[in-house]
Amino acid sequence: MNDLPNCPKCGSEYTYNDGTMNICPDCAHEWSADAAGDSEEETKVVKDANGNLLQDGDTVTVIKDLKVKGSSLIVKVGTRVKNIRLVDGDHDIDCKIDGIGAMKLKSEFVKKV
């Protein structure tokens, strides 16, 4: 009987132990056997250009002109964006900008107000 925990990444029950590491053969995720008792619900930390932590609902300011893909519009420096939502992916901020509409931004191009 396998007494090892399920994979925290994909939930597979076919994990095995290799020394001090647990390994999932389905997704190739490796994690420490010592951390198996912890709940491994990883929370993504999103920081702005100055290193401040961002949270859902924050107000940020754009720090450089950004071209809107597929359009001739430009988001100007200093544009305030209210009520951001953090999402997974390359562009980790989901927001609405007045005059442009719904957009996704990278956190490296904004600073917290």
Side-chain angles (χ1 to χ4, degrees), residues 53-113:
L53 291 176
L54 295 175
Q55 297 177 348
D56 287 341
D58 282 345
T59 300
V60 296
T61 302
V62 177
I63 62 169
K64 98 177 227 186
D65 285 346
L66 301 172
K67 294 180 182 177
V68 179
K69 195 171 196 177
S71 173
S72 62
L73 298 174
I74 295 177
V75 179
K76 295 285 188 179
V77 172
T79 302
R80 289 185 93 157
V81 182
K82 299 178 184 176
N83 198 18
I84 64 170
R85 290 177 307 280
L86 302 179
V87 294
D88 291 332
D90 186 31
H91 293 73
D92 42 14
I93 297 174
D94 196 16
C95 61
K96 281 188 180 176
I97 298 177
D98 293 336
I100 295 176
M103 281 193 68
K104 291 191 178 222
L105 299 173
K106 291 186 177 184
S107 60
E108 62 197 57
F109 298 123
V110 299
K111 69 177 182 180
K112 191 172 182 178
V113 175

Side-chain angles (χ1 to χ4, degrees), residues 21-56:
M21 301 294 287
N22 290 336
I23 302 171
C24 175
D26 292 339
C27 68
H29 180 66
E30 298 180 3
W31 70 100
S32 173
D34 299 334
D38 301 337
S39 64
E40 291 221 8
E41 199 58 38
E42 295 180 14
T43 57
K44 184 176 179 185
V45 177
V46 179
K47 295 184 179 184
D48 69 356
N50 296 334
N52 298 321
L53 291 176
L54 295 175
Q55 297 177 348
D56 287 341

